[in-house]
Each structure stands twice: as C-alpha cells, then as structure tokens.
Amino acid sequence: KGWVPGARVERDLASAKDEFSKAKFIYLELATKNEFVRELMEGNSSDNRNLSEMEERLAQGKAGLKKAKGRCNAVKTEIDELITKTLQQQETLQAEASELQEYLDDIDASSGAGASEVMMVEQQIVEKQNVLQKQEEDMKDLAKQRQELEAAIS
C-alpha cells in the first residue's frame, strides 16, 4: 500500500480533537457537580423562603379543600333529606290518588252523582298525578346532583 502524506497527522488531529472533547465534557460535569455541592453546603436562603411560601400555600389549599368538602357534605345531607321528604310526600299523594280513584269508581257505580262532582274528582286526580310526576323529576335531579357531589368529594 502506498504512503499517503499527512494521513498520520490527520489521524493524530482527529484523536486529539476527540480527547479534547472528552476532557471538556468531564470538566463541565465536574464544574456542575462542584456548583451543586457548594449550593447544598451553603444552603441557599432563597430556597428556604420559597419552601416556606410553598408550605403556606399548601396549607391554605388544604384548608380550602377541607372547607369545600364540608360544604359538599352539607349539601349531600340536605339532598338526602329532600329525597326522603319527597319520597314520603310521593307515598302520601299516591295513597290520596288511589282514594280519589276509588271514590270516583264508587260514584260511577252509583251513577246518581252529578257530572260536576265527577269532573272535580277527576281534576283532583290529574293534579295529584302532575305533582307526582314533578316530584319524580325533582328526585332524578337531586340524585344526579348527589352523584356529582360524591364524585367531587372522592
């Protein structure tokens, strides 16, 4: 093989550049480690202030969360009470509607009653049924709100 002038010089130059890059990397790594250790040993006071501020904000956030959970629990309890009350009213209205229906059936059976009395009883039945439907819708809304609150609390 033939001799190439300057090939060895180029190889030596590439090797020297590579060694220089490695030395530079090691130097930067050591300088960074040195700076880090120095800051740890000195204890940067601004970090302590930031830590105190963050702890204070965390405490405020926890207090706010606790307060919000308390309100959610109170609303949840209120919704439960409303659902119970609505269910009781619904049972009462259903019983009254059944009584009115029986009364209407008795009137139809005797057929001696006036048409106005029958219409009045039918109107009362329709009103009770409308109230029952509204209460059912309200209960569905309350149940949905309760589920949302439970999800928010969790």
Side-chain angles (χ1 to χ4, degrees):
K1 294 189 178 184
W3 177 74
V4 178
R8 183 173 184 168
V9 173
E10 286 181 23
R11 275 194 318 249
D12 289 344
L13 181 62
S15 177
K17 283 183 179 181
D18 187 46
E19 290 295 320
F20 179 76
S21 293
K22 288 178 185 178
K24 183 179 176 183
F25 175 77
I26 291 171
Y27 171 78
L28 290 174
E29 185 178 23
L30 289 174
T32 303
K33 285 181 182 179
N34 185 29
E35 182 72 25
F36 177 72
V37 169
R38 187 173 348 108
E39 284 189 24
L40 282 178
M41 297 303 288
E42 291 173 1
N44 198 346
S45 62
S46 68
D47 288 343
N48 291 336
R49 278 183 293 189
N50 288 341
L51 183 60
S52 296
E53 290 173 6
M54 287 181 185
E55 286 174 347
E56 185 178 323
R57 287 192 353 225
L58 178 63
Q60 289 173 351
K62 282 183 178 181
L65 178 62
K66 188 174 183 179
K67 188 176 180 180
K69 278 189 174 185
R71 284 188 299 223
C72 285
N73 285 331
V75 170
K76 181 181 167 188
T77 303
E78 184 180 336
I79 287 173
D80 287 342
E81 291 172 0
L82 286 173
I83 288 173
T84 303
K85 183 179 174 184
T86 303
L87 286 173
Q88 291 170 347
Q89 289 176 350
Q90 185 178 10
E91 289 174 7
T92 303
L93 287 173
Q94 285 176 341
E96 289 177 6
S98 296
E99 289 175 16
L100 288 172
Q101 187 64 46
E102 288 175 14
Y103 180 67
L104 184 59
D105 292 342
D106 289 344
I107 291 175
D108 284 343
S110 66
S111 60
S116 64
E117 189 176 340
V118 171
M119 288 178 56
M120 183 179 72
V121 171
E122 286 178 344
Q123 182 181 358
Q124 287 177 349
I125 290 172
V126 169
E127 288 173 4
K128 302 260 184 211
Q129 288 173 341
N130 289 340
V131 170
L132 284 172
Q133 285 178 341
K134 181 169 181 348
Q135 284 183 345
E136 287 177 11
E137 291 172 5
D138 290 345
M139 282 182 41
K140 288 177 184 177
D141 290 341
L142 288 173
K144 182 179 176 185
Q145 288 177 4
R146 185 175 190 269
Q147 288 175 346
E148 290 171 356
L149 283 173
E150 286 177 352
I153 290 173
S154 302

